[in-house]
Amino acid sequence: MENNLFNQSINYNLKKDGIMSDAVAHNDSSCQFNKKLLPLSYGLSLKDLELCNLKLDNQRNYLSNRFYTSFTGEIKSFLDLSYSANFGKKYYAELVNRCNVISSLQFDYDLMPVFLTITLNGCFRNALKGDFTSFKPFDRKYLDYSLNYKININEAFTIKDLIKLLNYQWNLFIMRIHRKYKGLKKLYIRCFEPHKKDGVPHIHALIYIPKYAFNYTFEIYKKIFYAPQNLKQGNKLTKEQVLNGEINGFQWSLNNPTGYVMKYIYKTFINFNDRYDLDFLSAWYVKHKVRRFLTSKTPVPLWIYRKINFFKKDFYNLFDFINNDDCVCEWSFDKQYFCFMNDKETIEYDNCKLIYKFMGRIVYQYEKEKHPKLYKRYKKISFKKRENTGILSVMRNNKHPLSDYALMKLIQSDDFKYCGIDGKILYHVNLAIERGLIDAKKIKINDIDDLEDYLIEKGYKYVF
């Protein structure tokens, strides 16, 4: 029988009004189905599935009814521009290209592949019901402040909390490798996959690291991702892998590691030849706003490739400019400018104007049409510059102070993490210390160096 990676276990037919109909019988080719249980739903209800499909239909209709004229004179809809995994095949084609590029770069950098499976400990499944009795001190060691706070007030975790926890632990894992080996080159591909019954997430990742960093990476993996499922040697391992000392979550002798991680990514996509509505698996990513696919940074930014992919189909072609010392390579995202130049080709983008020359002859040239802004520009309201004491006095006189939970949620937010170091950060960090939410000494108002060291130590302003 032909193996179709897009084969889905449950099919739902969408009515004209956007409401879902009855489920079709479960496919025999799906994995681990217990006939005594309801169809596998990844922790979602039928109402969740209907709302996700309704949301998807509204987005599709909006994009389909908005049009633009391309630089070639063609009239296209906004849906043709979409790189969403839920609307078209463009994102899938780009994903395959990016995976092939990362797989090729491992040979340029002389890296070795390691396939990782990262599963949370069993106590976190109980935390979804608000049961924290099975938590041990070690289970709380790698939690961020907001999750520790939820445990203290006996508030149940959500799926988003577990996704956030996995991202937090992954960043900690990568950061420790970088601290040990300065200037280390590494590449990775990772994706989330939900448990078939309750939707608890886990990670499948393929990381490329230098051989000299292998032993340390293995030890750090076992410390941070300590769940027994990750560390044991299961039946899926071959005899050779068992003799090598490989474990379920850390395998380095796979024949086709890229294909191994890609099969988990393929499952999350919709087969547009058969259907346009979401099944339970795809709806899980939409409901919880989970990215299907994440990678490390590449030498050439992705935004450059997306502007020239209509004539440079392969992302890897841009790395020929990087590897050649005689080529000119420069770019700036803030200025929306880039230039790649060698003896034969010239690719230049500046001020919304793209020119591609081959052997001195212009092959492609277009300029984005600029429309006048139809909205009013309002002045941004801001406080006058004052001393730090003035800023603190304004904040302390607030009639509606933040609750403990709102305060820790603000400190953990991405906007707070990557904003500049000023009195606002200082005030909120000290406020959390005063309330006993952060175990640290208060930071002096004028000692910005101490504040910067504290933020770096806690992982703030550190982007991978």
Side-chain angles (χ1 to χ4, degrees):
M1 176 182 286
E2 183 180 355
N3 184 20
N4 185 0
L5 292 173
F6 290 96
N7 194 13
Q8 305 295 339
S9 59
I10 303 171
N11 290 322
Y12 280 83
N13 298 321
L14 197 64
K15 292 182 179 179
K16 293 181 180 179
D17 58 358
I19 305 301
M20 307 302 296
S21 67
D22 295 335
V24 182
H26 192 277
N27 230 338
D28 291 337
S29 59
S30 63
C31 50
Q32 296 181 3
F33 178 73
N34 189 345
K35 295 181 179 179
K36 296 181 181 179
L37 300 176
L38 292 174
L40 302 177
S41 60
Y42 299 91
L44 302 183
S45 64
L46 281 174
K47 185 176 181 180
D48 293 329
L49 183 61
E50 292 170 4
L51 291 176
C52 288
N53 273 295
L54 186 60
K55 177 181 178 181
L56 195 68
D57 282 345
N58 291 337
Q59 292 175 350
R60 186 185 290 111
N61 293 334
Y62 177 85
L63 295 174
S64 300
N65 295 317
R66 300 296 186 276
F67 301 94
Y68 76 102
T69 303
S70 68
F71 69 95
T72 60
E74 297 178 273
I75 298 177
K76 297 183 178 181
S77 68
F78 284 6
L79 189 62
D80 298 327
L81 285 175
S82 176
Y83 275 87
S84 171
N86 299 319
F87 293 137
K89 301 177 182 179
K90 281 187 175 181
Y91 183 76
Y92 171 74
E94 180 187 279
L95 181 150
V96 174
N97 194 356
R98 289 167 64 185
C99 288
N100 290 335
V101 167
I102 291 177
S103 180
S104 300
L105 288 176
Q106 68 163 316
F107 300 105
D108 297 341
Y109 298 155
D110 192 22
L111 306 177
M112 65 174 294
V114 180
F115 181 77
L116 306 179
T117 300
I118 301 171
T119 308
L120 292 173
N121 204 5
C123 59
F124 291 97
R125 183 169 274 104
N126 297 330
L128 293 173
K129 304 174 184 177
D131 181 11
F132 302 106
T133 56
S134 57
F135 270 71
K136 298 179 181 178
F138 197 76
D139 294 318
R140 300 183 62 171
K141 183 176 181 181
Y142 298 111
L143 297 183
D144 60 9
Y145 299 126
S146 61
L147 296 185
N148 270 317
Y149 180 75
K150 279 193 170 185
I151 295 176
N152 292 336
I153 63 174
N154 288 324
E155 182 178 343
F157 286 4
T158 63
I159 295 295
K160 287 186 178 180
D161 289 331
L162 300 185
I163 293 167
K164 180 181 177 181
L165 173 61
L166 285 170
N167 282 326
Y168 176 80
Q169 292 182 348
W170 176 267
N171 289 335
L172 184 63
F173 172 67
I174 296 295
M175 183 171 59
R176 288 196 177 182
I177 298 174
H178 277 277
R179 283 179 176 176
K180 178 69 174 180
Y181 303 102
K182 305 296 183 181
L184 173 137
K185 287 187 177 181
K186 58 96 183 60
L187 302 165
Y188 65 79
I189 304 167
R190 69 183 177 104
C191 67
F192 285 96
E193 185 184 23
H195 189 270
K196 299 174 182 62
K197 185 177 179 181
D198 53 14
V200 173
H202 57 274
I203 290 178
H204 296 290
L206 180 62
I207 185 170
Y208 298 93
I209 54 175
K211 293 181 180 179
Y212 62 81
F214 172 79
N215 291 333
Y216 181 78
T217 303
F218 193 17
E219 293 301 320
I220 290 300
Y221 173 88
K222 290 187 289 186
K223 287 183 179 179
I224 297 179
F225 310 114
Y226 57 89
Q229 310 88 289
N230 300 329
L231 306 183
K232 69 180 182 180
Q233 293 181 324
N235 297 329
K236 293 184 179 180
L237 298 180
T238 63
K239 293 181 179 180
E240 295 179 354
Q241 288 180 309
V242 173
L243 293 175
N244 290 338
E246 300 180 44
I247 55 179
N248 287 347
F250 201 93
Q251 304 177 39
W252 60 86
S253 62
L254 297 174
N255 293 328
N256 184 14
T258 304
Y260 208 76
V261 71
M262 286 295 289
K263 79 173 184 179
Y264 293 104
I265 301 174
Y266 286 155
K267 292 194 299 184
T268 68
F269 284 85
I270 304 171
N271 185 2
F272 291 100
N273 296 326
D274 298 336
R275 57 189 296 160
Y276 283 92
D277 58 322
L278 299 172
D279 62 354
F280 278 116
L281 177 58
S282 302
W284 184 86
Y285 292 89
V286 174
K287 175 179 172 57
H288 301 297
K289 300 180 180 179
V290 182
R291 291 187 179 182
R292 287 174 165 83
F293 173 73
L294 300 101
T295 66
S296 56
K297 290 183 178 180
T298 52
V300 178
L302 183 62
W303 67 271
I304 294 178
Y305 170 68
R306 286 182 171 172
K307 291 187 180 297
I308 63 175
N309 59 4
F310 64 93
F311 64 89
K312 283 287 185 182
K313 300 295 183 183
D314 192 354
F315 194 14
Y316 190 75
N317 291 337
L318 292 177
F319 298 103
D320 293 337
F321 293 91
I322 298 291
N323 298 329
N324 192 343
D325 295 335
D326 296 331
C327 296
V328 175
C329 305
E330 55 185 11
W331 59 80
S332 171
F333 178 77
D334 295 332
K335 298 180 180 179
Q336 285 293 292
Y337 162 80
F338 61 82
C339 179
F340 296 87
M341 186 185 302
N342 59 16
D343 296 338
K344 295 182 179 180
E345 297 177 286
T346 300
I347 306 172
E348 185 176 3
Y349 181 85
D350 187 18
N351 197 21
C352 300
K353 184 177 181 180
L354 176 65
I355 298 177
Y356 173 57
K357 296 180 181 179
F358 185 78
M359 301 298 290
R361 181 175 297 179
I362 297 178
V363 181
Y364 294 104
Q365 179 179 357
Y366 78 90
E367 185 172 1
K368 184 178 179 181
E369 185 179 356
K370 297 181 180 179
H371 299 281
K373 295 181 179 179
L374 301 179
Y375 57 87
K376 293 182 180 180
R377 183 180 292 275
Y378 294 95
K379 267 192 173 184
K380 186 177 179 181
I381 300 175
S382 60
F383 292 102
K384 294 181 180 180
K385 290 186 177 179
R386 305 179 184 180
E387 295 181 359
N388 288 334
T389 53
I391 296 174
L392 294 178
S393 63
V394 171
M395 293 181 178
R396 281 174 179 156
N397 292 331
N398 186 5
K399 296 180 180 180
H400 305 285
L402 291 173
S403 64
D404 290 352
Y405 178 73
L407 176 62
M408 295 311 302
K409 195 171 183 180
L410 173 65
I411 291 177
Q412 289 296 313
S413 66
D414 291 337
D415 293 337
F416 189 91
K417 284 185 178 181
Y418 304 123
C419 65
I421 296 177
D422 53 20
K424 184 178 180 181
I425 286 185
L426 185 62
Y427 168 74
H428 286 100
V429 171
N430 276 341
L431 184 60
I433 294 173
E434 285 179 1
R435 297 183 183 182
L437 303 176
I438 298 177
D439 186 14
K441 294 182 180 179
K442 288 186 65 175
I443 304 166
K444 297 179 181 178
I445 293 177
N446 298 321
D447 202 343
I448 298 299
D449 293 334
D450 285 351
L451 175 60
E452 187 170 7
D453 293 338
Y454 171 83
L455 294 177
I456 293 174
E457 180 184 354
K458 296 298 179 185
Y460 288 80
K461 297 185 69 178
Y462 204 105
V463 184
F464 300 100

